[in-house]
């Protein structure tokens, strides 16, 4: 089975930090483009961050630049999203995604680009 399994979500106070993990099984993540998305109630799913399979190109939504960091550990077949300085407006369900493709852009692709998706994990930022 080809799966992405997410973990690390939860409740955090404003200004706090969380690290989301996304473990791939059934395929190797090394040569896959990866991305993180989030979807808040009443809003469309938006790209938060993305990374080319080479690891040499990363992008972030303007709303999270300087606060979030995307990374991968190919030895563990896992991708991560480190979230610092969390704000209430970061509250959403977060999804990881991956795709093997020779096509990439200098900006994060939309949801339709990706072939594999995690199940989603809730991040709530509240006092």
């Amino acid at each position: 089975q080809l799966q992405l399994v997410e973990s690390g979500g939860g409740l955090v106070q404003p200004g706090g930090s969380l690290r989301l993990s996304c473990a791939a099984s059934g395929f190797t993540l090394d040569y896959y483009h990866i991305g993180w998305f989030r979807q808040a109630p009443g809003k469309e799913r938006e790209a938060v961050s993305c990374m080319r399979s080479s690891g040499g190109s990363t992008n972030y939504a303007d709303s999270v630049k300087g606060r979030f960091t995307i990374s991968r550990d190919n030895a563990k077949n896992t991708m991560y999203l480190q979230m610092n300085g969390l704000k209430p407006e970061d509250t959403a369900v977060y999804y990881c995604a991956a795709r093997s493709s020779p096509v990439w852009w200098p900006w994060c692709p939309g949801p339709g680009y990706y072939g594999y998706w995690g199940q989603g994990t809730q991040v709530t930022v509240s006092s």
Side-chain angles (χ1 to χ4, degrees):
Q1 294 182 351
L2 306 178
Q3 292 183 319
L4 294 172
V5 180
E6 300 182 42
S7 62
L11 175 65
V12 65
Q13 294 184 354
S17 298
L18 286 173
R19 188 180 75 161
L20 306 183
S21 299
C22 179
S25 63
F27 67 101
T28 56
L29 207 56
D30 304 48
Y31 305 107
Y32 281 69
H33 307 312
I34 59 174
W36 286 96
F37 290 78
R38 68 186 182 187
Q39 188 164 21
K43 295 186 177 181
E44 296 183 356
R45 188 171 299 188
E46 65 170 341
V48 174
S49 183
C50 58
M51 175 185 286
R52 291 188 67 171
S53 59
S54 66
S57 179
T58 60
N59 287 284
Y60 299 90
D62 288 341
S63 59
V64 307
K65 285 182 179 178
R67 300 189 297 119
F68 290 12
T69 303
I70 188 172
S71 63
R72 70 167 83 214
D73 187 335
N74 290 333
K76 297 181 179 180
N77 212 29
T78 301
M79 56 186 288
Y80 305 94
L81 184 69
Q82 178 67 46
M83 304 184 294
N84 299 324
L86 284 163
K87 305 175 181 179
E89 51 263 43
D90 295 319
T91 296
V93 177
Y94 283 72
Y95 301 88
C96 58
R99 173 171 177 164
S100 179
S101 173
V103 179
W104 192 250
W105 296 272
W107 37 267
C108 287
Y113 174 84
Y114 294 95
Y116 299 104
W117 288 88
Q119 81 281 9
T121 184
Q122 177 71 46
V123 172
T124 302
V125 185
S126 176
S127 299

PDB file of all heavy atoms in Angstrom, residues 8 16 32 36 44 62 64 87 94 98 121 123:
ATOM      1  N   GLY A   8       1.716  14.629  14.847  1.00  0.00           N
ATOM      2  CA  GLY A   8       2.319  15.815  15.432  1.00  0.00           C
ATOM      3  C   GLY A   8       1.391  16.983  15.651  1.00  0.00           C
ATOM      4  O   GLY A   8       1.796  17.985  16.258  1.00  0.00           O
ATOM      5  N   GLY A  16       3.636  29.436  20.319  1.00  0.00           N
ATOM      6  CA  GLY A  16       4.219  28.129  20.523  1.00  0.00           C
ATOM      7  C   GLY A  16       4.679  27.483  19.231  1.00  0.00           C
ATOM      8  O   GLY A  16       4.579  28.066  18.148  1.00  0.00           O
ATOM      9  N   TYR A  32      10.584  12.190  -4.748  1.00  0.00           N
ATOM     10  CA  TYR A  32       9.260  12.781  -4.825  1.00  0.00           C
ATOM     11  C   TYR A  32       9.291  14.237  -4.416  1.00  0.00           C
ATOM     12  O   TYR A  32       9.949  14.619  -3.442  1.00  0.00           O
ATOM     13  CB  TYR A  32       8.282  12.025  -3.914  1.00  0.00           C
ATOM     14  CG  TYR A  32       7.762  10.737  -4.496  1.00  0.00           C
ATOM     15  CD1 TYR A  32       8.591   9.638  -4.664  1.00  0.00           C
ATOM     16  CD2 TYR A  32       6.430  10.632  -4.896  1.00  0.00           C
ATOM     17  CE1 TYR A  32       8.113   8.462  -5.208  1.00  0.00           C
ATOM     18  CE2 TYR A  32       5.942   9.458  -5.434  1.00  0.00           C
ATOM     19  CZ  TYR A  32       6.793   8.374  -5.590  1.00  0.00           C
ATOM     20  OH  TYR A  32       6.308   7.211  -6.122  1.00  0.00           O
ATOM     21  N   TRP A  36       3.197  20.708   1.853  1.00  0.00           N
ATOM     22  CA  TRP A  36       2.287  20.789   2.985  1.00  0.00           C
ATOM     23  C   TRP A  36       1.168  21.759   2.642  1.00  0.00           C
ATOM     24  O   TRP A  36       1.414  22.852   2.109  1.00  0.00           O
ATOM     25  CB  TRP A  36       3.002  21.255   4.251  1.00  0.00           C
ATOM     26  CG  TRP A  36       3.879  20.215   4.878  1.00  0.00           C
ATOM     27  CD1 TRP A  36       5.212  20.051   4.706  1.00  0.00           C
ATOM     28  CD2 TRP A  36       3.463  19.198   5.801  1.00  0.00           C
ATOM     29  NE1 TRP A  36       5.665  18.996   5.457  1.00  0.00           N
ATOM     30  CE2 TRP A  36       4.617  18.455   6.138  1.00  0.00           C
ATOM     31  CE3 TRP A  36       2.242  18.850   6.367  1.00  0.00           C
ATOM     32  CZ2 TRP A  36       4.578  17.374   7.025  1.00  0.00           C
ATOM     33  CZ3 TRP A  36       2.203  17.774   7.245  1.00  0.00           C
ATOM     34  CH2 TRP A  36       3.358  17.057   7.561  1.00  0.00           C
ATOM     35  N   GLU A  44     -10.665  27.400   1.308  1.00  0.00           N
ATOM     36  CA  GLU A  44     -10.109  26.416   0.396  1.00  0.00           C
ATOM     37  C   GLU A  44      -8.764  25.914   0.905  1.00  0.00           C
ATOM     38  O   GLU A  44      -8.083  26.589   1.682  1.00  0.00           O
ATOM     39  CB  GLU A  44      -9.949  27.009  -1.003  1.00  0.00           C
ATOM     40  CG  GLU A  44     -11.254  27.407  -1.668  1.00  0.00           C
ATOM     41  CD  GLU A  44     -11.055  27.928  -3.071  1.00  0.00           C
ATOM     42  OE1 GLU A  44      -9.900  28.048  -3.505  1.00  0.00           O
ATOM     43  OE2 GLU A  44     -12.062  28.205  -3.741  1.00  0.00           O
ATOM     44  N   ASP A  62       3.341  33.365   1.841  1.00  0.00           N
ATOM     45  CA  ASP A  62       3.760  34.598   2.492  1.00  0.00           C
ATOM     46  C   ASP A  62       3.354  34.635   3.965  1.00  0.00           C
ATOM     47  O   ASP A  62       4.074  35.188   4.800  1.00  0.00           O
ATOM     48  CB  ASP A  62       3.171  35.806   1.773  1.00  0.00           C
ATOM     49  CG  ASP A  62       3.813  36.054   0.428  1.00  0.00           C
ATOM     50  OD1 ASP A  62       4.925  35.550   0.182  1.00  0.00           O
ATOM     51  OD2 ASP A  62       3.202  36.776  -0.391  1.00  0.00           O
ATOM     52  N   VAL A  64       3.425  32.392   6.164  1.00  0.00           N
ATOM     53  CA  VAL A  64       4.212  31.560   7.072  1.00  0.00           C
ATOM     54  C   VAL A  64       5.707  31.748   6.911  1.00  0.00           C
ATOM     55  O   VAL A  64       6.483  31.133   7.659  1.00  0.00           O
ATOM     56  CB  VAL A  64       3.864  30.064   6.918  1.00  0.00           C
ATOM     57  CG1 VAL A  64       2.364  29.843   7.059  1.00  0.00           C
ATOM     58  CG2 VAL A  64       4.365  29.520   5.581  1.00  0.00           C
ATOM     59  N   LYS A  87       0.226  31.303  15.273  1.00  0.00           N
ATOM     60  CA  LYS A  87      -0.810  32.299  15.453  1.00  0.00           C
ATOM     61  C   LYS A  87      -2.176  31.635  15.372  1.00  0.00           C
ATOM     62  O   LYS A  87      -2.321  30.579  14.760  1.00  0.00           O
ATOM     63  CB  LYS A  87      -0.701  33.380  14.373  1.00  0.00           C
ATOM     64  CG  LYS A  87       0.651  34.056  14.284  1.00  0.00           C
ATOM     65  CD  LYS A  87       0.696  35.017  13.105  1.00  0.00           C
ATOM     66  CE  LYS A  87       2.040  35.688  12.991  1.00  0.00           C
ATOM     67  NZ  LYS A  87       2.095  36.612  11.821  1.00  0.00           N
ATOM     68  N   TYR A  94      -3.945  20.173   8.633  1.00  0.00           N
ATOM     69  CA  TYR A  94      -2.748  20.192   7.806  1.00  0.00           C
ATOM     70  C   TYR A  94      -2.571  18.852   7.109  1.00  0.00           C
ATOM     71  O   TYR A  94      -2.728  17.792   7.717  1.00  0.00           O
ATOM     72  CB  TYR A  94      -1.520  20.510   8.649  1.00  0.00           C
ATOM     73  CG  TYR A  94      -1.411  21.972   9.005  1.00  0.00           C
ATOM     74  CD1 TYR A  94      -2.277  22.543   9.929  1.00  0.00           C
ATOM     75  CD2 TYR A  94      -0.454  22.792   8.410  1.00  0.00           C
ATOM     76  CE1 TYR A  94      -2.199  23.888  10.249  1.00  0.00           C
ATOM     77  CE2 TYR A  94      -0.363  24.133   8.722  1.00  0.00           C
ATOM     78  CZ  TYR A  94      -1.241  24.680   9.640  1.00  0.00           C
ATOM     79  OH  TYR A  94      -1.149  26.014   9.953  1.00  0.00           O
ATOM     80  N   ALA A  98       2.702  14.313  -1.803  1.00  0.00           N
ATOM     81  CA  ALA A  98       3.902  13.957  -2.540  1.00  0.00           C
ATOM     82  C   ALA A  98       3.547  13.530  -3.958  1.00  0.00           C
ATOM     83  O   ALA A  98       2.447  13.042  -4.216  1.00  0.00           O
ATOM     84  CB  ALA A  98       4.659  12.823  -1.836  1.00  0.00           C
ATOM     85  N   THR A 121      -3.978  16.262   9.839  1.00  0.00           N
ATOM     86  CA  THR A 121      -3.823  16.352  11.281  1.00  0.00           C
ATOM     87  C   THR A 121      -4.229  17.753  11.727  1.00  0.00           C
ATOM     88  O   THR A 121      -3.863  18.750  11.104  1.00  0.00           O
ATOM     89  CB  THR A 121      -2.379  16.020  11.714  1.00  0.00           C
ATOM     90  OG1 THR A 121      -2.287  16.021  13.144  1.00  0.00           O
ATOM     91  CG2 THR A 121      -1.372  17.002  11.146  1.00  0.00           C
ATOM     92  N   VAL A 123      -4.332  21.127  13.723  1.00  0.00           N
ATOM     93  CA  VAL A 123      -3.511  22.058  14.483  1.00  0.00           C
ATOM     94  C   VAL A 123      -4.421  23.176  14.977  1.00  0.00           C
ATOM     95  O   VAL A 123      -5.067  23.853  14.170  1.00  0.00           O
ATOM     96  CB  VAL A 123      -2.364  22.640  13.641  1.00  0.00           C
ATOM     97  CG1 VAL A 123      -1.641  23.745  14.401  1.00  0.00           C
ATOM     98  CG2 VAL A 123      -1.393  21.538  13.246  1.00  0.00           C
TER      99      VAL A 123
END
